[in-house]
Amino acid sequence: HVQLVESGGGSVEAGRSLKLSCTASKYRIGTCAMGWYRQAPGKERELVSSIKADGTTTYADSVKGRFTVSLDISKNTLFLQMNALKTEDTAVYTCAAGKKLLVCVWDYWGRGTQVTVS
């Protein structure tokens, strides 16, 4: 079965950087996107960023210009470079991958990694 394993979370001071990684096993990066969601305490989960194999990316307005998503298809790994971190970026970040049905749906999820910005 498909597994997504995140790494790279931690605690940092505001203004610093972190890079998250998500390695996918038994998942073929293809038509559907991979992405990063986050959920802060008391808030709804939000899509932070996504990327397709063709390089098409999306970003939440709150992270544009600060976060960069990328894919290493040869390693089946998704990255999220987070710069100029703010306290409001504190959340559990979860890797997600799409599955093609009639359309792509987010069907695979990692367990999440905590990012704390103080």
Side-chain angles (χ1 to χ4, degrees):
H1 61 283
V2 172
Q3 281 192 312
L4 304 177
V5 179
E6 303 99 336
S7 61
S11 297
V12 295
E13 293 181 344
R16 304 298 289 269
S17 300
L18 279 176
K19 186 173 185 177
L20 305 183
S21 300
C22 170
T23 300
S25 59
K26 298 185 179 179
Y27 179 78
R28 181 177 177 274
I29 297 174
T31 304
C32 297
M34 293 186 72
W36 292 96
Y37 277 79
R38 70 183 180 186
Q39 187 166 22
K43 295 188 177 180
E44 293 188 356
R45 185 174 62 187
E46 66 168 338
L47 177 62
V48 176
S49 182
S50 69
I51 184 169
K52 293 184 177 181
D54 65 1
T56 304
T57 58
T58 67
Y59 292 96
D61 288 342
S62 58
V63 306
K64 283 180 181 176
R66 300 188 298 121
F67 290 11
T68 303
V69 66
S70 59
L71 267 177
D72 185 334
I73 295 176
S74 67
K75 296 181 179 179
N76 243 31
T77 300
L78 173 73
F79 300 98
L80 185 67
Q81 177 67 47
M82 305 185 294
N83 298 329
L85 283 161
K86 303 177 180 180
T87 56
E88 51 264 44
D89 294 319
T90 295
V92 175
Y93 286 71
T94 303
C95 174
K99 180 179 181 179
K100 184 68 179 295
L101 301 176
L102 291 179
V103 295
C104 289
V105 296
W106 294 109
D107 202 44
Y108 304 111
W109 300 87
R111 292 188 173 185
T113 185
Q114 177 71 46
V115 171
T116 303
V117 185
S118 59

